[in-house]
Amino acid sequence: MADKEIMRGLKDVYIDTSEASFVDGQVGKLLYRGYNIHDLAEKSTFEEVIHLLLYAGLPRKDQLAELDATLRANREIPDEVVQVLRLVKDSHPMDALRTGVSALAAFDPEVDDNSPEATVRKGLRLTAQGPTVVAAHHRIRNGNEPVGPNADLNHAGNFLYMLSGAVPDEETQRLMDVDFILHAEHSSNASSFGARVTASTLSDLHSAIVTGIGVLKGPWHGGAAEAVMKMAQDIGQPENAEEYARKLLDSGGRIMGFGHRVYKAEDPRARHLRTRSQELGEKMGEPHWFQILRYMEEKVMVPYRSKGIYVNVDFFAGSIYHLLGIPEDLFIPIFALGRIPGWTLQCIEQYENNILMRPLLDYTGAMDLEYVPIEQRG
Ligand code: ACO
């Protein structure tokens, strides 16, 4: 065999073409199907972005109304799935979401239909049902009964309503809406790649999304927002940030919420969360969380910019959730809820032009060893 080139971590390897999103990591640019993330974060809604991703274009008013009605009509989850969530009430909410999506497969009439039309329908159902799973598990683990969906609220508002039982104000709904927009799609990131690997065996969408959730959970991917908030709480006050970071970095640790495989400039999604974290902190009389994060960004991590290490989407997200009263272990499930349309689109692309994902490993172990019967082993 010719010389083997080992592409560890598939770094800089293109696995296929895609029309889902464009990422230019050198300048920090992100487009969903051609539309700049800044325009979408400032002017659009999550419902519109779902349409953009799954139907390849921004909707007309009637199309948006239809999609919105579909989402609102599909928010309920079967009682059996709620029973499963009761059984796993003590698990991490991300594990509960993974289990919940897996259980939903048993009740989806189109589970094994991988046609583009059925995959869109299933993706919309899972997008609508996901928040109900997360909210029901959260309430059950706190000793409360689940709150059913509120058809008067949009996707983001209804999720917050099902978590707390109270209708959130417009501003809070919009914060969650923007957060979902920013997390909706991001090319071949690890969890979308994982979902594509599952789809590439012609397995079903529910299985692919279960894979995506499992991959997203890790602290080097979606788990960073939770870790950032824990870090901010450990630091306590901005003046402690320098010493905390020094100790961590000197011992070979990493500052969570910094660095990205593709972005070597600022992650364009971070801008929107930075502004909102500052505004919300000031409004709620808790500016110190933003000050701690900003100190870390502006003072401690400046030398790392020459290595292409800047804040990523997870750095400011946690402080917003925290200020909204959302516990840290819900941060990753919220990321996952935003990403369901993106995972769905990646699977549709994979099914449409499928090739089995099956890379090689260069074996470096022993060869041709003699098998010794167990009685004769020393
Ligand atoms: N803090 C300090 N140093 C860092 C950080 C960080 N957050 N991230 C990378 N580095 C350093 C590494 O130690 C390494 O240094 P070295 O060359 O001296 O060994 C160098 O930068 C390159 O790091 P790699 O791990 O090779 O880069 P990779 O592209 O594989 O890593 C990753 C990307 C995993 C995201 C990394 O930056 C990281 O661990 N960040 C912290 C976790 C995090 O925030 N994850 C969320 C990413 S965004 C998302 O998934 C939604």
Side-chain angles (χ1 to χ4, degrees):
M1 198 176 176
D3 274 353
K4 298 165 193 151
E5 192 178 1
I6 297 182
M7 312 295 277
R8 287 197 71 233
L10 299 179
K11 216 167 184 164
D12 300 326
V13 173
Y14 287 91
I15 54 156
D16 215 324
T17 60
S18 171
E19 295 181 3
S21 54
F22 170 81
V23 183
D24 183 337
Q26 296 306 318
V27 298
K29 182 171 181 174
L30 170 62
L31 310 176
Y32 291 173
R33 287 200 184 272
Y35 291 93
N36 197 298
I37 192 64
H38 298 313
D39 285 336
L40 295 172
E42 280 156 21
K43 301 174 193 164
S44 187
T45 63
F46 186 53
E47 283 82 350
E48 242 192 9
V49 167
I50 295 169
H51 192 283
L52 172 65
L53 294 174
L54 297 185
Y55 295 100
L58 287 172
R60 295 187 313 263
K61 278 187 180 168
D62 59 319
Q63 291 172 321
L64 182 60
E66 192 182 333
L67 177 125
D68 192 28
T70 303
L71 289 172
R72 287 176 202 237
N74 280 285
R75 288 173 178 165
E76 297 281 353
I77 56 175
D79 287 346
E80 291 87 340
V81 176
V82 177
Q83 294 306 324
V84 171
L85 296 174
R86 289 185 199 281
L87 293 175
V88 298
K89 72 179 172 59
D90 294 325
S91 63
H92 190 286
M94 195 62 168
D95 298 337
L97 176 61
R98 194 192 56 224
T99 302
V101 170
S102 197
L104 283 170
F107 302 93
D108 196 299
E110 299 182 292
V111 68
D112 287 322
D113 184 345
N114 293 341
S115 65
E117 298 77 17
T119 307
V120 168
R121 286 193 292 271
K122 287 187 287 184
L124 290 177
R125 280 199 282 279
L126 282 172
T127 301
Q129 292 165 324
T132 316
V133 169
V134 173
H137 174 258
H138 180 63
R139 291 189 63 84
I140 291 166
R141 72 178 173 152
N142 285 313
N144 300 316
E145 275 307 296
V147 169
N150 182 338
D152 293 335
L153 295 172
N154 69 10
H155 189 79
N158 175 60
F159 170 54
L160 292 168
Y161 167 76
M162 290 190 297
L163 275 182
S164 69
V167 175
D169 61 36
E170 291 281 328
E171 207 178 323
T172 308
Q173 293 188 41
R174 180 61 185 155
L175 275 171
M176 187 53 62
D177 190 45
V178 171
D179 187 90
F180 284 147
I181 292 172
L182 294 173
H183 286 96
E185 160 57 30
H186 208 240
S187 192
S188 58
N189 61 87
S191 56
S192 299
F193 175 65
R196 273 184 178 261
V197 171
T198 300
S200 84
T201 68
L202 299 185
S203 184
D204 61 280
L205 184 71
H206 284 74
S207 299
I209 289 187
V210 166
T211 306
I213 294 168
V215 177
L216 183 65
K217 186 183 169 194
W220 280 20
H221 191 4
E226 183 175 341
V228 171
M229 199 55 215
K230 284 194 178 128
M231 175 183 76
Q233 284 166 329
D234 286 348
I235 292 172
Q237 292 300 327
E239 56 269 24
N240 302 334
E242 179 86 53
E243 194 192 339
Y244 178 96
R246 197 53 46 223
K247 274 191 194 150
L248 182 63
L249 292 166
D250 287 351
S251 62
R254 293 177 178 209
I255 305 293
M256 294 293 117
F258 275 86
H260 197 276
R261 174 60 67 79
V262 180
Y263 291 120
K264 301 304 166 198
E266 183 174 304
D267 180 335
R269 301 167 295 180
R271 180 201 297 184
H272 301 277
L273 297 169
R274 183 192 287 111
T275 313
R276 286 174 167 81
S277 165
Q278 179 172 21
E279 288 169 358
L280 189 63
E282 281 165 9
K283 183 180 149 197
M284 301 195 67
E286 291 192 46
H288 57 288
W289 301 117
F290 180 74
Q291 288 162 2
I292 290 170
L293 299 179
R294 200 67 179 133
Y295 188 92
M296 197 65 98
E297 184 187 15
E298 285 289 271
K299 299 269 183 342
V300 179
M301 292 303 282
V302 170
Y304 285 78
R305 290 182 191 168
S306 60
K307 290 170 91 178
I309 298 173
Y310 289 79
V311 279
N312 61 49
V313 66
D314 282 333
F315 193 64
F316 291 103
S319 57
I320 296 176
Y321 305 143
H322 178 79
L323 288 164
L324 294 180
I326 297 173
E328 281 83 53
D329 60 3
L330 285 186
F331 297 178
I332 328 175
I334 290 173
F335 186 156
L337 297 180
R339 185 53 60 84
I340 293 173
W343 286 330
T344 303
L345 172 53
Q346 300 267 343
C347 290
I348 291 168
E349 286 194 337
Q350 189 64 39
Y351 291 137
E352 275 180 345
N353 185 24
N354 194 44
I355 178 166
L356 179 70
M357 300 263 199
R358 204 305 189 186
L360 297 172
L361 281 173
D362 186 24
Y363 176 72
T364 56
M367 301 282 282
D368 302 326
L369 299 177
E370 184 188 348
Y371 180 86
V372 180
I374 195 163
E375 300 76 22
Q376 296 168 25
R377 288 176 211 157

